[in-house]
Amino acid sequence: IREGAPAKFALGDQVRARNINPDGHTRLPRYARGHVGEVVALHGAHVFPDSHAHGRGEDPQPLYTVRFTARELWGEAAHPRDSVSLDLWEPYLERA
């Protein structure tokens, strides 16, 4: 855990994974982009891989676990009790 900006989101917040298409490295899965989930854990600030992979420094950013329902990601055909949890850095997220 590194020092960085204070967390913008709290447990229980609804967040949307930003619909980004960066050149180069990202750890934001394409299937989650544009979808809404709930912050279920806060992990402090960690090295932001999108920055670090391109030699722009560690740029510590708050890291969250966000749970998305399967139906949010894949529609009504998905089982209503299934979900996917992703560890996502704050620059990937916006308030829903």
Side-chain angles (χ1 to χ4, degrees):
I1 297 178
R2 311 239 180 206
E3 286 189 35
K8 187 192 312 188
F9 305 112
L11 291 176
D13 281 356
Q14 296 293 303
V15 294
R16 181 179 309 279
R18 294 178 57 222
N19 191 6
I20 59 172
N21 294 293
D23 289 332
H25 184 82
T26 188
R27 296 238 175 126
L28 175 57
R30 198 168 294 279
Y31 65 82
R33 296 176 196 178
H35 292 281
V36 174
E38 178 184 354
V39 174
V40 296
L42 306 165
H43 302 290
H46 290 266
V47 172
F48 186 45
D50 297 44
S51 219
H52 195 254
H54 295 285
R56 295 190 304 260
E58 294 185 348
D59 189 22
Q61 297 290 325
L63 178 65
Y64 307 87
T65 299
V66 179
R67 182 176 46 227
F68 297 87
T69 67
R71 286 194 166 171
E72 171 68 18
L73 296 174
W74 295 293
E76 291 301 310
H79 195 283
R81 290 189 306 237
D82 289 349
S83 65
V84 173
S85 294
L86 300 171
D87 289 337
L88 300 174
W89 280 263
E90 192 168 275
Y92 299 157
L93 303 171
E94 59 193 16
R95 208 163 289 288

